[in-house]
Amino acid sequence: MPVLTTFMIVSIMSCESNPKVQTLWVNSAKVDCVGVGPMQCFQIKNEEDEPWTNLYQEISGFEFEPGYIYKLKVAIDTLDKATLPADKSSLVYRLVDVLSKQADPVLSLNDIWVVTKIEGAEAKSINSRENPVLEINTRSMNILGSDGCNNYRGKIEALSENKISFGPIMSTKKACRDMDLPNKYTTALSKVKSFKKEHLELILYDENNQELLSFKKVD
């Protein structure tokens, strides 16, 4: 009887702990996040066309190298919440297999860019010594810079292999003698939906693939 009882308990535990196996994509850099305290999180998604979400724990057996997008097969074990601390996740992620590992093409956007053209026309202001500047940080999903008059910052709302769009832009409110170039620049920035990067040049396009802004990399 004791042997039978032990066998039944083991069988029940095995059934309850039967892991769920699924495919996960892991982004090329960890991001700052807050769980129990400040920490670094993986960004993951279950489908390739989904937005990234934070994973507040490690993936057992996974050796992460920044700069690469991974496609993984993982096993997810569900633990009994009654046996766990309140701040402990009931899900445990374990690596089964690395299905692919590819260099992240958007990392090359991480730089400071100065505008050269707005809607195909040369960007030049007679009352400003500096053209608008765009600094892109794909890790924090932020942008900042100057429109030629005011400093601005905003969020990157969407980013993929050739798609990019920005959220509302917040800026200082200084009034300059010539606001034509800053206004054209910020209007164009709000319409951006995609990009193309070639060597030291970055071009941003609208939803109809019309060129909005051209930049060159700042040395």
Side-chain angles (χ1 to χ4, degrees), residues 8-41:
M8 291 175 63
I9 293 173
V10 170
S11 299
I12 292 171
M13 289 177 65
S14 300
C15 182
E16 289 179 343
S17 62
N18 188 33
K20 175 184 177 182
V21 177
Q22 70 178 63
T23 301
L24 285 183
W25 279 261
V26 179
N27 207 358
S28 58
K30 289 186 174 183
V31 296
D32 294 330
C33 58
V34 178
V36 178
M39 58 187 294
Q40 291 262 300
C41 286

Side-chain angles (χ1 to χ4, degrees), residues 2 20 31 61 82 139 162 170 206:
K20 175 184 177 182
V31 296
R139 181 180 175 187
N162 64 347
M170 298 178 291
D206 67 12

Side-chain angles (χ1 to χ4, degrees), residues 38-81:
M39 58 187 294
Q40 291 262 300
C41 286
F42 286 123
Q43 288 191 309
I44 65 168
K45 54 186 177 182
N46 297 319
E47 299 290 341
E48 197 166 8
D49 57 353
E50 289 181 348
W52 296 106
T53 58
N54 290 346
L55 177 65
Y56 294 86
Q57 61 191 90
E58 295 298 315
I59 300 172
S60 178
F62 175 42
E63 295 184 4
F64 175 68
E65 182 180 355
Y68 293 89
I69 295 177
Y70 292 83
K71 182 180 180 182
L72 307 178
K73 180 183 288 187
V74 298
I76 305 174
D77 296 297
T78 302
L79 305 179
D80 184 358
K81 289 185 177 180

Side-chain angles (χ1 to χ4, degrees), residues 27-29 66-69 102-111 113 136 138-139 159 195 197:
N27 207 358
S28 58
Y68 293 89
I69 295 177
Q102 298 181 335
D104 187 352
V106 305
L107 288 183
S108 62
L109 297 179
N110 282 310
D111 223 314
W113 306 88
I136 300 175
T138 59
R139 181 180 175 187
L159 181 62
F195 72 90
K197 181 183 174 295

